[in-house]
């Protein structure tokens, strides 16, 4: 902890720095690769939509012990029931004594046949729940409306608070980046997309925005009045802000991800399929992507857009020119010192002011009176 604390202090003071802004092309390239992989997942795999979106029948069977052996027995019962319209049933455990079976939309007679098959396989009680595709579509439509309203509010809020539309644009790009990566993981993994998943997508937008605004706030503080100074460029001051908030962002993310990971483990390992798993998986992936995007995408992109401002461009040029001139003067002075050290010493003495302290010079021992040299014998 001591080393981590010292590392965080060094990041805050600028003694140690990670060049997030200067190496933005590297982060962009990483994100482009991930986004291409996500898009490929949409094309190749597609989403595994839940029955809430495509319609179907949910059969809930009460059993003595909801374990893998019982789930396999009920799956074989569905397959051997002689109802091919049921398709490939999705059988999951839910709690200690409940197994949920999702099948395609069936007639009432076909559903009754499946219920009898489950009862013969050991289920003590079977109930059915018909789910139409319109319900899921309504949820998705309302979620899309909420997303659009959310994005408009975000753009207006950030532009008004930071007085910079470029930060709004970069924040929206980071939000889209997080949602696409999360959706790509769902496509490749084959996890079922349910209304709980849509809720998770909307939730991660809020988290990602929060993390981005924290970094933006520090960028605004560091870059206040930077154009009046020739010490650092705008990009360097912004990069310092990212480094100063890096430890905070990591700590916040780890603190938020641990309970979500616990929910995911419980949802997958204990409860099986269900809203808890769908929500926790979306949150876990979205929070991790949001932490990355707030540091490596949002701020570098906002700085890149800001650097197109003529005033910032001229300031950067002025700082770099002065820095190059100082380096040239230092190099010429070092070369002169190496070529003529005596002259350099005299020059150093000449430039020493009258009020500066001189070190007393002492004659060698043989020349001092009363010394032990041969002249004193």
């Amino acid at each position: 902890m001591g080393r981590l604390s010292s590392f965080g202090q060094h990041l805050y003071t600028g003694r140690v720095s990670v060049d997030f802004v200067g190496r933005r092309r590297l982060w962009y390239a990483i994100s482009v690769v991930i986004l291409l992989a996500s898009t490929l997942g949409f094309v190749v795999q597609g989403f595994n939509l839940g029955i809430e979106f495509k319609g179907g029948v949910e059969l809930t069977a009460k059993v003595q012990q909801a374990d893998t052996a019982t789930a396999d027995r009920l799956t074989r019962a569905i397959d051997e029931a002689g109802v091919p319209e049921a398709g490939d049933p999705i059988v999951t455990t839910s709690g200690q004594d409940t197994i949920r079976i999702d099948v395609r939309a069936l007639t009432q007679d076909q559903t009754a046949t499946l219920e009898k098959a489950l009862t013969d396989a050991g289920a003590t009680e079977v109930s059915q729940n018909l789910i139409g595709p319109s319900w899921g579509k309504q949820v998705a439509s309302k979620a899309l409306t909420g997303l659009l309203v959310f994005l408009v509010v975000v753009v207006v809020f950030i532009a008004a608070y930071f007085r910079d539309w470029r930060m709004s644009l970069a924040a929206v790009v980071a939000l889209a980046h997080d949602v696409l990566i999360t959706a790509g993981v769902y496509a490749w993994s084959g996890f079922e997309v349910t209304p709980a998943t849509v809720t998770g997508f909307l939730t991660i937008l809020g988290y990602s925005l929060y993390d981005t605004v924290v970094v933006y706030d520090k960028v605004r503080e560091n870059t206040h009045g930077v154009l009046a100074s020739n010490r650092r460029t705008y990009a360097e001051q912004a990069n310092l802000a990212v480094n100063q908030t890096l430890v905070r962002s990591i700590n916040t993310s780890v603190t938020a991800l641990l309970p979500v990971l616990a929910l995911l483990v419980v949802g997958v390992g204990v409860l099986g399929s269900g809203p808890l798993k769908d929500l926790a998986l979306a949150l876990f992936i979205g929070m991790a992507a949001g932490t990355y995007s707030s540091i490596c995408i949002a701020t570098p992109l906002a700085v890149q857009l800001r650097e197109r401002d003529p005033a910032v461009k001229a300031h950067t040029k002025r700082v770099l020119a002065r820095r190059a001139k100082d380096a040239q003067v230092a190099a010429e002075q070092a070369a002169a010192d190496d070529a003529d050290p005596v002259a350099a010493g005299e020059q150093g003495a000449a430039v020493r002011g009258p009020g500066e302290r001189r070190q007393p010079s002492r004659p060698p021992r043989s020349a001092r009176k009363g010394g032990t040299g041969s002249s004193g014998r």
Side-chain angles (χ1 to χ4, degrees):
M1 289 298 293
R3 291 184 177 180
L4 181 60
S5 177
S6 300
F7 179 68
Q9 184 63 26
H10 292 336
L11 286 174
Y12 194 87
T13 58
R15 186 177 301 175
V16 177
S17 177
V18 181
D19 193 6
F20 291 105
V21 175
R23 305 183 69 182
R24 54 190 171 225
R25 292 184 178 178
L26 174 62
W27 317 127
Y28 294 168
I30 293 174
S31 294
V32 167
V33 171
I34 297 175
L35 291 176
L36 288 177
S38 299
T39 305
L40 188 63
F42 304 149
V43 177
V44 177
Q45 294 284 105
F47 285 125
N48 179 21
L49 298 176
I51 61 174
E52 295 88 350
F53 291 98
K54 59 185 179 183
V57 179
E58 179 186 274
L59 298 171
T60 304
K62 291 289 185 180
V63 295
Q64 294 294 332
Q65 180 65 38
D67 51 18
T68 304
T70 305
D72 292 340
R73 187 170 67 250
L74 295 185
T75 303
R76 288 195 301 271
I78 293 291
D79 293 337
E80 297 170 357
V83 184
E85 293 80 2
D88 296 328
I90 300 175
V91 181
T92 55
T93 59
S94 178
Q96 299 294 326
D97 58 353
T98 303
I99 292 181
R100 197 182 77 174
I101 304 104
D102 296 336
V103 296
R104 295 177 182 173
L106 301 173
T107 64
Q108 189 59 39
D109 292 340
Q110 291 170 335
T111 305
T113 301
L114 295 184
E115 289 183 0
K116 184 176 184 305
L118 293 175
T119 303
D120 294 341
T124 57
E125 180 183 346
V126 179
S127 60
Q128 61 171 289
N129 184 24
L130 299 176
I131 300 176
S134 59
W135 187 74
K137 291 180 180 178
Q138 291 176 0
V139 172
S141 177
K142 292 181 179 178
L144 182 60
T145 303
L147 175 62
L148 294 177
V149 173
F150 175 80
L151 291 179
V152 171
V153 173
V154 165
V155 170
V156 174
F157 168 74
I158 294 181
Y161 184 70
F162 294 103
R163 299 178 181 178
D164 191 349
W165 61 269
R166 304 169 188 84
M167 288 186 168
S168 295
L169 179 60
V172 171
V173 171
L175 292 178
H177 167 276
D178 301 340
V179 173
L180 288 176
I181 289 178
T182 306
V185 171
Y186 264 87
W188 279 115
S189 65
F191 275 83
E192 198 172 60
V193 177
T194 65
T197 306
V198 177
T199 305
F201 283 178
L202 296 178
T203 306
I204 63 178
L205 295 178
Y207 177 84
S208 177
L209 180 64
Y210 164 77
D211 215 25
T212 301
V213 168
V214 169
V215 181
Y216 278 0
D217 204 36
K218 192 63 181 175
V219 171
R220 183 179 63 170
E221 178 183 337
N222 282 11
T223 56
H224 179 70
V226 66
L227 300 184
S229 171
N230 291 330
R231 184 184 178 191
R232 287 176 175 170
T233 65
Y234 183 92
E236 290 170 346
Q237 285 292 93
N239 190 69
L240 177 62
V242 177
N243 280 274
Q244 288 175 333
T245 56
L246 180 62
V247 174
R248 182 185 186 280
S249 297
I250 294 175
N251 290 339
T252 303
S253 301
V254 171
T255 304
L257 285 174
L258 285 178
V260 174
L261 180 61
L263 290 177
L264 184 60
V265 171
V266 171
V268 176
V270 179
L271 301 180
S273 179
L276 184 60
K277 183 209 70 175
D278 302 333
L279 179 63
L281 180 62
L283 290 178
F284 187 82
I285 300 171
M287 285 182 176
T291 303
Y292 170 79
S293 67
S294 63
I295 296 172
C296 299
I297 301 298
T299 305
L301 181 58
V303 173
Q304 184 177 4
L305 296 174
R306 189 76 169 85
E307 285 180 328
R308 296 185 177 184
D309 190 318
V312 176
K313 191 181 296 184
H315 174 260
T316 301
K317 187 176 180 180
R318 189 167 63 249
V319 172
L320 295 180
R322 177 172 181 176
R323 195 173 295 170
K325 183 178 179 181
D326 292 344
Q328 183 180 1
V329 171
E332 291 175 355
Q333 182 65 41
D337 293 348
D338 294 339
D340 190 356
V342 176
E346 293 177 350
Q347 183 179 3
V351 298
R352 191 161 50 228
E356 295 184 22
R357 180 181 178 182
R358 282 179 172 272
Q359 293 293 334
S361 59
R362 189 178 184 185
R365 178 176 295 179
S366 58
R368 292 200 299 266
K369 181 178 181 180
T372 56
S374 57
S375 62
R377 291 179 181 178

